Amino acid sequence: MSLQDTLRALADPTRREILSLLRDGDKNAGEISEHFSVTAAAISRHLSVLREADLIRDRREGKYIIYTLNTSVLEDIMLWMKDLKGET
């Protein structure tokens, strides 16, 4: 996944809020959806974009898919931003 795709995924406020929710621990789609006033289909699409950007990971537990924050990608972005700041 390119940095451009990752930044595009982070540009959406709903996706950023999903990442904030996952900071508190792993959650399934239903638990994530409870925090938003959009359809489950919309949340599913946001989760797909985040997964494609490698910002989250998923795993199946029984009938649920559990989503986890991928902190290594976020750390890489923070280092990139720090480098940008140092260049000015």
Side-chain angles (χ1 to χ4, degrees):
M1 190 59 35
S2 73
L3 178 61
Q4 182 175 350
D5 293 333
T6 303
L7 293 175
R8 181 182 56 81
L10 289 171
D12 184 274
T14 300
R15 291 193 283 267
R16 290 193 307 268
E17 182 63 25
I18 290 170
L19 294 174
S20 292
L21 289 171
L22 292 175
R23 279 191 323 201
D24 296 331
D26 301 352
K27 293 181 179 31
N28 65 45
E31 292 170 322
I32 294 168
S33 292
E34 292 173 355
H35 295 271
F36 300 94
S37 60
V38 298
T39 65
I43 294 299
S44 179
R45 179 66 189 133
H46 285 300
L47 291 168
S48 292
V49 171
L50 290 169
R51 191 174 51 250
E52 290 168 9
D54 205 25
L55 290 165
I56 62 173
R57 306 245 165 124
D58 63 348
R59 69 181 185 281
R60 182 166 293 281
E61 285 187 11
K63 65 178 185 172
Y64 297 101
I65 297 176
I66 307 300
Y67 295 92
T68 304
L69 192 61
N70 184 3
T71 56
S72 63
V73 171
L74 294 170
E75 289 169 357
D76 289 345
I77 291 169
M78 294 301 293
L79 289 172
W80 175 77
M81 291 173 65
K82 182 181 175 192
D83 288 344
L84 282 179
K85 185 178 179 183
E87 292 176 7
T88 59

